[in-house]
Amino acid sequence: MNDCESNVLPEFVIVTRQGYSVSFDEPIPNLGQLGDVITVALVRTEPIADEATVTVEELGTSFLSPIPATLTFQANEATATLTVSITDHGPALEEEATLGIDLPSSSPSLLLTRDPDRANAIVNILNPPSLSVQYANLALSASSTRANFVIEISEPFHRDITITLVYEGEVIYSDAPSTVVLPAHAERLTVPLTINPQDDNMEHSFIVRMFSATDSINIDENRDQTTFVLHVADVLISIPQRRFRVAEGETFSVGLIADRTAPSEIVVDLFTPNLGDSAQLEALPDAVIGQGRTNSLVGITVFNDDIPEDESTVTVEFRSKTVGAMVDPVEDYVVVIIPANQGRAIAPQIDDDNVIPADDNDGDGGDDAAPQSDTLSSGALIGIILGGVGALLLLIMMALLCCLVICCCGSGGYGKHDHAYPRPYYFYGPGYPSEAVVYDVEY
């Protein structure tokens, strides 16, 4: 090989492949639940005269059917659609199924898109929430004229839910609907029932049960019904004050009054009917009316978390655990208003120039140009006051000590001393406060 040949670069051959890109039309997540039908569309960059077939597969899960599925782009069509059903879901509240495209080798003109956001389609599958009743048993007074059937849902749902109710037992109610609707995004539904007054001095009962619900919503079989029992109550308990305004960390007392002396100890259960309310209160105790008494107080403490919060309202309900006693259904709750809380103050940081940076509430604890207010906190004021009082007490003690020393020195010249020679005594004359008069006195 000569020198000229050694300087020749090798040739590179670039092979290009002309085709049509295939992708999902809507890569954004599709949302569905068990039983829902989802339509998935595929597109190619432009229609061509020939038919083209691709396969759609589910990657890693098996929640959709029929999968895998074959889609055919008809001649001169740029879109092909696939309809799948959600036939299964996992244990999590929200599952995810991923669809991918498999291109057959027999169609070299089809290429998978290079856009990673359109190479797959996501189907989000929501695990259906479950419905349950708030109370399995509810005691009412024989004189009650109303009752509430309360339905709760484990997670708020994005659509209205229609629920079918059935009634069993004695027909002592009216205005009882056979179907009710739980609104979208609601956490509970209260169904009011009208009770026909009973004056036969006998116990009565009836049952309200959830029979079915739309949108494949589950009904908790262990908590699908409430048994209402109308007791001939021996003791009726009322709550005179039912509205309180209490700051975080403070305790307030709720008074319970019985209409007659308790024949035995009466225990009343306290609970929060609304989800999330229990987190704003310390653990709720039982209220107890002792035997032979007609009233009781129970303390409730608002939880203090030192987190800035807006004003909120909490409802606490009362239910008797003791047979023969009940809380008046009209006065069986209290409302607690918790004022807005600014949270715990954070001590400002001082920079090298002894400047306290202002905080513009951006979460960085300060470090802004504007100087901070020099208003003293309550803790600093208390410290200054205590320091002043301590200094004053110290001055008083020093003054008393000086007086004591002066008195001791002034009284040292009185009395007899065992000396063999006369000793001078010093007296301050009344007209000469700053001069001493010396006398020689014989012992």
Side-chain angles (χ1 to χ4, degrees):
M1 180 180 295
N2 54 37
D3 295 339
C4 294
E5 292 178 345
S6 63
N7 293 328
V8 175
L9 296 175
E11 295 182 356
F12 289 90
V13 178
I14 300 176
V15 179
T16 61
R17 179 181 174 188
Q18 184 176 6
Y20 302 94
S21 173
V22 178
S23 64
F24 285 98
D25 185 29
E26 294 185 4
I28 60 175
N30 298 276
L31 183 65
Q33 291 189 330
L34 186 66
D36 286 354
V37 176
I38 304 295
T39 299
V40 181
L42 274 67
V43 296
R44 52 185 178 180
T45 50
E46 60 182 84
I48 56 177
D50 299 331
E51 290 186 354
T53 301
V54 299
T55 301
V56 175
E57 298 178 330
E58 185 176 355
L59 307 179
T61 57
S62 55
F63 298 149
L64 308 176
S65 180
I67 290 290
T70 301
L71 276 78
T72 301
F73 287 95
Q74 300 296 329
N76 300 316
E77 293 289 338
T79 304
T81 58
L82 168 67
T83 300
V84 295
S85 299
I86 301 176
T87 56
D88 196 5
H89 58 77
L93 179 63
E94 184 172 336
E95 300 286 350
E96 186 177 277
T98 303
L99 296 177
I101 304 172
D102 182 26
L103 300 177
S105 57
S106 59
S107 299
S109 61
L110 292 177
L111 301 175
L112 183 63
T113 179
R114 293 183 178 181
D115 184 355
D117 293 333
R118 291 185 173 272
N120 300 103
I122 305 298
V123 179
N124 286 335
I125 304 173
L126 295 177
N127 198 349
S130 61
L131 297 171
S132 61
V133 298
Q134 188 178 60
Y135 312 114
N137 298 282
L138 192 58
L140 302 174
S141 170
S143 60
S144 298
T145 58
R146 69 173 181 88
N148 289 330
F149 178 65
V150 182
I151 301 172
E152 295 180 331
I153 190 168
S154 58
E155 291 290 337
F157 196 58
H158 63 282
R159 290 195 296 263
D160 291 350
I161 303 173
T162 301
I163 305 168
T164 302
L165 304 179
V166 295
Y167 300 83
E168 303 171 2
E170 300 177 76
V171 185
I172 58 174
Y173 46 82
S174 58
D175 297 334
S178 58
T179 58
V180 293
V181 176
L182 177 66
H185 309 294
E187 296 180 347
R188 68 187 49 77
L189 173 66
T190 300
V191 182
L193 307 173
T194 300
I195 307 297
N196 300 325
Q198 306 295 311
D199 56 2
D200 54 5
N201 203 33
M202 296 180 61
E203 183 177 288
H204 300 270
S205 66
F206 65 94
I207 297 173
V208 183
R209 179 167 58 89
M210 290 185 290
F211 181 74
S212 62
T214 56
D215 288 310
S216 302
I217 301 298
N218 299 321
I219 296 178
D220 189 343
E221 296 181 354
N222 297 320
R223 296 182 57 196
D224 63 347
Q225 67 181 32
T226 296
T227 301
F228 295 87
V229 180
L230 277 70
H231 292 284
V232 181
D234 296 327
V235 180
L236 186 64
I237 302 168
S238 60
I239 304 173
Q241 182 181 354
R242 299 196 307 279
R243 191 175 183 86
F244 300 85
R245 187 176 184 86
V246 187
E248 288 191 359
E250 295 184 357
T251 301
F252 65 99
S253 296
V254 180
L256 287 78
I257 300 178
D259 64 346
R260 65 194 67 184
T261 302
S264 61
E265 184 179 83
I266 298 175
V267 180
V268 178
D269 179 35
L270 280 66
F271 64 95
T272 53
N274 299 325
L275 296 176
D277 281 359
S278 60
Q280 301 194 59
L281 303 175
E282 299 284 356
L284 293 174
D286 288 337
V288 178
I289 299 178
Q291 182 179 1
R293 298 184 60 85
T294 58
N295 57 75
S296 177
L297 289 174
V298 59
I300 300 176
T301 302
V302 178
F303 182 72
N304 184 11
D305 53 11
D306 287 323
I307 298 176
E309 294 171 328
D310 295 331
E311 182 174 284
S312 58
T313 302
V314 177
T315 300
V316 180
E317 293 194 2
F318 295 70
R319 290 286 183 270
S320 174
K321 292 182 177 180
T322 304
V323 177
M326 66 172 298
V327 183
D328 189 338
V330 181
E331 301 180 0
D332 61 353
Y333 67 94
V334 297
V335 175
V336 186
I337 301 173
I338 305 174
N341 174 31
Q342 300 302 322
R344 179 179 297 172
I346 300 176
Q349 301 296 323
I350 301 177
D351 60 17
D352 295 336
D353 297 325
N354 292 326
V355 176
I356 301 177
D359 188 5
D360 60 353
N361 296 324
D362 57 4
D364 59 2
D367 199 17
D368 299 293
Q372 204 172 44
S373 172
D374 57 357
T375 302
L376 292 175
S377 66
S378 60
L381 290 174
I382 293 174
I384 293 174
I385 294 172
L386 293 178
V389 173
L392 181 60
L393 292 175
L394 182 60
L395 289 175
I396 294 174
M397 292 178 63
M398 293 178 64
L400 292 175
L401 183 60
C402 290
C403 293
L404 182 62
V405 171
I406 292 173
C407 292
C408 291
C409 292
S411 63
Y414 294 97
K416 293 184 178 181
H417 298 269
D418 296 331
H419 295 283
Y421 55 86
R423 184 182 178 198
Y425 277 77
Y426 296 88
F427 296 93
Y428 290 98
Y432 305 92
S434 61
E435 297 180 2
V437 181
V438 180
Y439 298 93
D440 289 333
V441 181
E442 291 290 338
Y443 282 95

